[in-house]
Amino acid sequence: MPRAESRASSAAPASLRPGAVWRNWGRSERAHPEFMARPETVDEVIAAVNFARDTGVTVKAWGAGHSFTSIAATDGLHLDVGALAGVIAVDGPLVTLGAGTNLYELPALLEPLGLALANMGDIDRQTIAGAISTGTHGTGARFGGIATQVRGVTLVTAAGELLRVNATENPHLLSAAALSLGALGILVDVTIECVPTFLLHAVERPEPAAAVLDEWLQRSAETDHFEFYVWPHTTTALTKSNTRRPGDAPRHPLTKFSRWFDDEFMANGVYRAICAAGTAAPAIIPPVNRLAVKLSGNREFTDTSTNVFVTDRTVRFREMEYALPIEAVPDAVHATQKLIADRGWRVSFPIEVRSAAADSLLLSTASGRATGYVAVHRYWREDPAEYFREVEAIMMAHDGRPHWGKLHNRPAESLAAAYSGFNEFLSIRDRLDPGRVFANDYLRRVLGQ
């Protein structure tokens, strides 16, 4: 058993109150916990865990609710860790953040230090703890997900003990604790290895989808951060090629009007209306998609990394994403396009394709292999079940692994075969949470116990 600092207390957290209905952002999951609490200190987190264990209920932390799965749901005690936020310590490029720090807060916290995250996804609503625990990632064949930037965590175990995991304390646990699905304890802080601030030169262009798929491996290898979106019912892909520049390089950002028109008015306002109309009249979706690719994604600019990585998305949707061997992406996308056409489905959201470097985290979707990601979406008022089920079969045929925070149907037996570190993770979980204080239905399905 790893050494841990005992700070057990039998007192309930000061902020404990009766539970209320909780819903995630995508409106795909809901829960009604018996209790809720918003701890403001680590001691209150310990008290909450002790209370849950001694009361015989489970406890789960939730952040921004941006997971589409029920990974954060419980009928026991829900912990809102939002008050545990901000910079706790700085040691060169190593920055320790409160677990409840939202990613959108990082520019204001890190830029004065001359630092930034090495890579980010296109949504920044998540907390840092939630992002690493579900395997949130961006794109870039030489860059890993956010969890690969973790150099230490502090968590409260089921025994009510404070466990530090880093290069000098319990280092053997880091490959599990950096991406833990919330199964090992409640994270209270996270130490990230940052990089000096940098700019990104962004080129966004509509291109023939067939050519983009043919050039996928080459463009992923040659471009720092390459991704694209294939629009169903069209032959067009919207490509995004981002090249890293030094932080003191000249900036050429989008004008305020251009950013508002493209990213707010068109991508959110108009697109929300289109999705709503498409739900009522699916026949309009193909011509609208063809029009959309003609009106969007033809621009070039240079700005700070977060301003390029992140896109403000306010149109609610539900998502499934699979991680594949990077070379399998073109065949999987072609098969998905054919599936949509053969079934006569009307799909308004594009197929999203990204990449990531191989890593060594036990439950990372990129563990042990260079990875390509293929994501499919549906508007939140549409039923995604049939579409996602059929696409999932394609992804599984290409040795796919599902994103832990996005919708999928895989049980533990199937997932164990996909991860060489699966049993090692289960062994660590058995030591840290033998009574399953942090369990829920989702973890029982994907971990099998």
Side-chain angles (χ1 to χ4, degrees), residues 61-278:
W62 87 81
H66 256 274
S67 290
F68 298 92
T69 65
S70 58
I71 192 168
T74 183
D75 58 4
L77 171 57
H78 240 163
L79 286 186
D80 177 355
V81 297
L84 303 178
V87 173
I88 295 172
V90 179
D91 182 7
L94 300 180
V95 179
T96 301
L97 300 162
T101 307
N102 293 98
L103 299 185
Y104 64 78
E105 299 176 281
L106 294 185
L109 296 173
L110 297 181
E111 285 178 9
L113 304 173
L115 298 172
L117 292 187
N119 199 8
M120 292 184 69
D122 58 357
I123 294 176
D124 64 356
R125 299 294 97 182
Q126 308 97 319
T127 61
I128 187 66
I132 68 169
S133 295
T134 56
T136 296
H137 62 91
T139 191
R142 296 189 299 277
F143 301 88
I146 297 177
T148 68
Q149 304 166 47
V150 173
R151 299 296 174 263
V153 301
T154 304
L155 54 83
V156 176
T157 70
E161 297 173 336
L162 203 60
L163 177 65
R164 295 186 175 88
V165 180
N166 52 52
T168 59
E169 300 174 278
N170 305 300
H172 60 290
L173 296 179
L174 189 58
S175 62
L179 201 170
S180 67
L181 313 186
L184 305 182
I186 303 296
L187 290 170
V188 293
D189 66 51
V190 177
T191 300
I192 299 287
E193 183 174 3
C194 298
V195 299
T197 53
F198 62 99
L199 308 184
L200 287 171
H201 176 65
V203 179
E204 301 178 2
R205 297 282 186 263
E207 302 182 47
V212 173
L213 286 164
D214 287 344
E215 299 165 358
W216 159 247
L217 288 176
Q218 178 184 353
R219 295 179 71 169
S220 294
E222 294 176 350
T223 306
D224 289 331
H225 306 277
F226 179 69
E227 64 183 302
F228 65 92
Y229 301 81
V230 178
W231 290 84
H233 320 298
T234 81
T235 59
T236 301
L238 172 60
T239 63
K240 295 188 175 185
S241 303
N242 296 330
T243 303
R244 298 166 84 95
R245 295 283 187 261
D248 58 358
R251 289 177 62 233
H252 301 286
L254 295 169
T255 65
K256 289 184 178 180
F257 176 79
S258 177
R259 183 173 289 278
W260 170 82
F261 184 81
D262 291 341
D263 297 340
E264 296 297 331
F265 178 71
M266 291 296 295
N268 287 317
V270 172
Y271 193 59
R272 182 182 296 105
I274 290 171
C275 289

Side-chain angles (χ1 to χ4, degrees), residues 216-217 322-332 354 356 365-366 368-374 395-401:
W216 159 247
L217 288 176
Y322 259 79
L324 312 176
I326 194 167
E327 65 276 5
V329 164
D331 285 347
R354 295 180 285 174
T365 50
R369 68 189 190 192
T371 295
Y373 290 95
V374 179
M395 300 304 156
M396 290 178 64
H398 289 84
D399 198 17
R401 299 166 175 164

Side-chain angles (χ1 to χ4, degrees), residues 11-13 16 37 39 43-53 59 77 79:
L16 188 72
D43 284 330
E44 287 188 36
V45 176
I46 293 171
V49 171
N50 287 333
F51 172 82
R53 184 194 64 243
V59 56
L77 171 57
L79 286 186

